[in-house]
Amino acid sequence: MRLAGLYVITEPALRDPIEGARLALEGSARIIQLRDKQATTRQLVETGLKLRELTRQYGAVLIVNDRLDVALAVEADGVHLGQDDMPVPMARKIAGENFLIGVSVETVEEARQAEAEGAHYLGVGPMFATATKPDAGEPVGPERLRAIKQAVSLPVFGIGGITIENALAVLKAGADGICVISAIMGAPEPVAATRQFIELMRLPYEKR
Amino acid sequence: MRLAGLYVITEPALRDPIEGARLALEGSARIIQLRDKQATTRQLVETGLKLRELTRQYGAVLIVNDRLDVALAVEADGVHLGQDDMPVPMARKIAGENFLIGVSVETVEEARQAEAEGAHYLGVGPMFATATKPDAGEPVGPERLRAIKQAVSLPVFGIGGITIENALAVLKAGADGICVISAIMGAPEPVAATRQFIELMRLPYEKR
């Protein structure tokens, strides 16, 4: 399976993670990431178990941000590692070969390293300015994604400040998929918002 | 090996974890716990690797607080789980039979449950009022430790607000060992402070 499509990340400050994930899955999101930097481990495990059940029902992929222990405990499909998280080789050694590992990268060099270390997909960003992750750096833009896409053979997702209005630029740069937080979790109608992204991704390349 | 002796927990706000651990080990602490609620996963892994090297040099046990992923990544001897952390059976399933699991308990009921789930040792507290963990509840006192010690067959450590002045009451209640943070990490002379605790624990029971 090659990862692609709409990748939706939970944000408890915007919407209850379970409800938000359910609506995104109803709109045909393919990947859900549990991300909650404030929760205790017990809370992460409890939410993760519910998301595991839900993603199984919809045949979707479940990824846990940063916390490999939580990912293993809830039998998620994988873990997403930032540059401040566990190094990829350590996670691979603990989790085994069949466990998905995604990595956040900003540069071609980081992308090449992640690929060499065995990452399954890359999240490249921030594409645009975003308020959801105040610790995110300056936007690197769709052109950086294009450069990374040319440098590696992994699936590449754009992330950071992506909306239905600017998503086309990310797809045109060669993204295999798009990661969103507030565009879905903060939408008044998350099912409809998800479907809008899916429609955009289904367009033949020349019509995008 | 039955766990016992002085169990020292790192506190970056009081002293650099590596330096603090080194001084405690020099004073004959038997167990070091890496605890840092503010650090990124990457920082925890880096500190954990250094503590692993140090504890091996001194033949001491290394435990990581809460983060089973970090514990596995740095090849610690075990993980310490609070009531807000991962449930013991999940951690056991991920980490296997030979991995130490310690559990924080406040009541006889929690102690019995932790024993039934396969914990290797218990931390009972808070023994006394403490400023190090502002989220800790009301002190349960040495008498609670005595009741728990009579209810389970696991090694039991007293924790929370223990100083060289009040440690005797915890030992007299039957503690196999004592957990300290600020009494060592905040001491002007951590080696000497550690040795004072060790001497107290070595006294014949009747002379304590």
Side-chain angles (χ1 to χ4, degrees):
Chain A
M1 174 187 63
R2 189 171 168 90
L3 292 171
L6 192 69
Y7 182 138
V8 179
I9 302 174
T10 62
E11 176 43 82
L14 294 173
R15 194 175 292 267
D16 172 71
I18 312 297
E19 179 63 5
R22 195 184 64 74
L23 295 168
L25 290 165
E26 194 60 34
S28 298
R30 299 303 306 139
I31 306 171
I32 301 292
Q33 182 192 113
L34 169 58
R35 179 177 180 277
D36 184 347
K37 289 286 185 187
Q38 307 305 319
T40 64
T41 302
R42 184 69 60 101
Q43 289 165 337
L44 284 172
V45 165
E46 286 169 1
T47 305
L49 287 173
K50 289 177 191 158
L51 290 178
R52 176 69 291 186
E53 193 184 341
L54 206 52
T55 47
R56 282 215 177 104
Q57 285 167 10
Y58 284 87
V61 171
L62 176 64
I63 303 284
V64 175
N65 186 63
D66 177 19
R67 297 292 301 266
L68 179 58
D69 48 354
V70 174
L72 293 172
V74 306
E75 299 180 9
D77 299 294
V79 69
H80 187 87
L81 301 175
Q83 298 288 324
D84 289 335
D85 300 337
M86 188 180 289
V88 175
M90 279 184 173
R92 176 64 65 211
K93 190 175 170 192
I94 295 169
E97 284 308 310
N98 292 320
F99 194 77
L100 297 177
I101 298 181
V103 178
S104 299
V105 300
E106 286 197 6
T107 66
V108 169
E109 189 186 349
E110 287 175 352
R112 286 198 170 120
Q113 185 184 343
E115 182 172 52
E117 290 176 342
H120 282 94
Y121 74 88
L122 303 177
V124 178
M127 285 291 103
F128 309 105
T130 168
T132 315
K133 279 189 77 173
D135 60 334
E138 284 295 300
V140 300
E143 286 313 307
R144 181 68 57 78
L145 188 143
R146 188 188 305 275
I148 285 171
K149 183 72 188 165
Q150 286 164 358
V152 301
S153 59
L154 297 175
V156 172
F157 290 74
I159 184 168
I162 301 178
T163 63
I164 195 67
E165 287 78 22
N166 64 25
L168 201 52
V170 181
L171 292 169
K172 281 184 171 172
D176 297 275
I178 281 180
C179 297
V180 282
I181 305 181
S182 55
I184 301 298
M185 291 296 164
E189 304 274 1
V191 179
T194 304
R195 286 187 180 141
Q196 279 190 290
F197 279 101
I198 305 282
E199 283 308 307
L200 198 66
M201 282 187 268
R202 280 181 185 153
L203 282 181
Y205 189 82
E206 62 274 20
K207 292 194 182 167
R208 278 177 183 172
Chain B
M1 174 187 64
R2 188 171 171 88
L3 292 171
L6 192 69
Y7 182 137
V8 178
I9 303 173
T10 63
E11 175 45 78
L14 293 173
R15 192 176 293 263
D16 172 70
I18 313 297
E19 179 62 7
R22 195 184 64 74
L23 295 168
L25 290 165
E26 194 60 36
S28 300
R30 299 302 307 136
I31 306 172
I32 300 291
Q33 182 190 113
L34 168 58
R35 179 177 181 277
D36 184 346
K37 290 287 184 186
Q38 308 305 318
T40 66
T41 301
R42 184 70 60 105
Q43 290 167 335
L44 283 172
V45 165
E46 286 168 1
T47 305
L49 287 173
K50 289 178 192 157
L51 290 178
R52 176 70 291 183
E53 193 184 341
L54 206 52
T55 47
R56 280 214 177 104
Q57 286 168 9
Y58 284 88
V61 171
L62 176 64
I63 302 286
V64 176
N65 188 61
D66 178 15
R67 298 291 301 267
L68 179 59
D69 48 356
V70 175
L72 293 173
V74 307
E75 300 181 8
D77 299 293
V79 69
H80 187 87
L81 301 174
Q83 297 289 322
D84 289 336
D85 300 338
M86 187 178 291
V88 175
M90 280 184 172
R92 176 63 64 209
K93 190 175 169 192
I94 294 169
E97 284 307 310
N98 291 322
F99 194 77
L100 298 178
I101 298 181
V103 178
S104 300
V105 299
E106 285 198 4
T107 66
V108 169
E109 190 186 347
E110 286 175 352
R112 286 196 170 120
Q113 185 186 342
E115 182 172 53
E117 290 176 343
H120 283 95
Y121 74 86
L122 303 178
V124 178
M127 287 291 104
F128 309 106
T130 167
T132 315
K133 280 189 76 172
D135 61 334
E138 285 294 301
V140 300
E143 285 313 307
R144 181 68 57 78
L145 187 144
R146 187 188 302 275
I148 286 172
K149 184 70 189 166
Q150 285 164 359
V152 301
S153 59
L154 296 175
V156 173
F157 290 75
I159 185 169
I162 301 178
T163 63
I164 195 66
E165 287 77 24
N166 64 26
L168 201 53
V170 181
L171 292 169
K172 282 186 170 173
D176 296 275
I178 280 181
C179 296
V180 282
I181 305 180
S182 54
I184 302 299
M185 292 296 163
E189 304 275 1
V191 179
T194 303
R195 287 186 178 144
Q196 279 191 291
F197 279 101
I198 305 283
E199 284 306 308
L200 197 67
M201 283 186 268
R202 280 182 184 152
L203 282 181
Y205 190 80
E206 62 273 21
K207 289 196 184 167
R208 278 177 181 170

